[in-house]
Amino acid sequence: TTDGDKPVVSIEATTPEATEGAADNTLAFTISQNNVSNFDTEVSVSLGTDNAVDAADINQISYTVDGVADVVITDPTEIADFLATGSVTIPAGSTFTPVITITAKDDTIFENSEDLVLDIDTDTDFASVSPTEGSATGTILDEDQADNAPDNPDNTDDPINTTDGDKPVVSIEATTPEA
């Protein structure tokens, strides 16, 4: 037998980079299906295996719901729950594409960029997951500047620069003035 017109669902990181502590601090993931269905398509969302982000790195998750107000999650426990067992629905007869928006939390940790990987799954009686688009990756960047060259007008070593980020400052002070 074949699946005929059964929809195939996919996920794409439509805004694949966010910078914590900056105006562009959100990632966006869009879930879609290739065919309209007579059945609701419930899509499960969870963190992927190559994920470096956890709930503590996230300030807010919101997702669109067809015909009603967006769902907004700010409680850390609820954020962790959504990342473990979240779901969104594409209503029957609809071409609606749910969008999950993740707002990075600004922290005071100097760190590498972190990948946030979302995997999707669905009830195979009503849809299938694309074998090549069942996972999507967004990257949360630390707010430190990448260009630290002297010719950079926003050099992070500039003491009046307010976008220096979380880079630690190390100082040494002699406790005895003579050796």
Side-chain angles (χ1 to χ4, degrees):
T1 66
T2 64
D3 287 337
D5 296 329
K6 184 179 1 176
V8 176
V9 294
S10 59
I11 185 169
E12 177 186 1
T14 46
T15 305
E17 284 190 353
T19 304
E20 63 181 34
D24 61 343
N25 66 341
T26 57
L27 300 170
F29 295 86
T30 300
I31 296 173
S32 59
Q33 65 185 20
N34 67 342
N35 288 327
V36 174
S37 175
N38 283 334
F39 307 98
D40 286 348
T41 305
E42 185 170 330
V43 181
S44 301
V45 179
S46 61
L47 287 177
T49 55
D50 293 330
N51 187 66
V53 173
D54 59 27
D57 296 312
I58 298 171
N59 196 46
Q60 173 181 296
I61 295 176
S62 63
Y63 59 93
T64 55
V65 179
D66 192 31
V68 297
D70 292 356
V71 174
V72 178
I73 305 168
T74 57
D75 178 74
T77 302
E78 292 177 13
I79 289 172
D81 289 346
F82 183 85
L83 294 173
T85 60
S87 68
V88 295
T89 301
I90 301 171
S94 174
T95 58
F96 173 73
T97 55
V99 176
I100 300 168
T101 304
I102 297 177
T103 305
K105 183 178 285 182
D106 187 16
D107 58 26
T108 57
I109 301 168
F110 181 61
E111 56 198 341
N112 289 324
S113 298
E114 299 170 294
D115 286 343
L116 185 137
V117 180
L118 291 182
D119 290 344
I120 58 171
D121 199 8
T122 191
D123 183 337
T124 57
D125 288 339
F126 300 102
S128 61
V129 174
S130 167
T132 58
E133 296 175 325
S135 182
T137 302
T139 303
I140 298 175
L141 308 169
D142 201 37
E143 69 267 35
D144 294 309
Q145 296 178 7
D147 182 2
N148 208 14
D151 64 343
N152 177 9
D154 294 321
N155 188 315
T156 58
D157 295 328
D158 182 349
I160 62 169
N161 185 342
T162 59
T163 61
D164 195 17
D166 306 321
K167 189 180 295 180
V169 176
V170 178
S171 60
I172 300 173
E173 182 178 327
T175 55
T176 306
E178 296 175 14

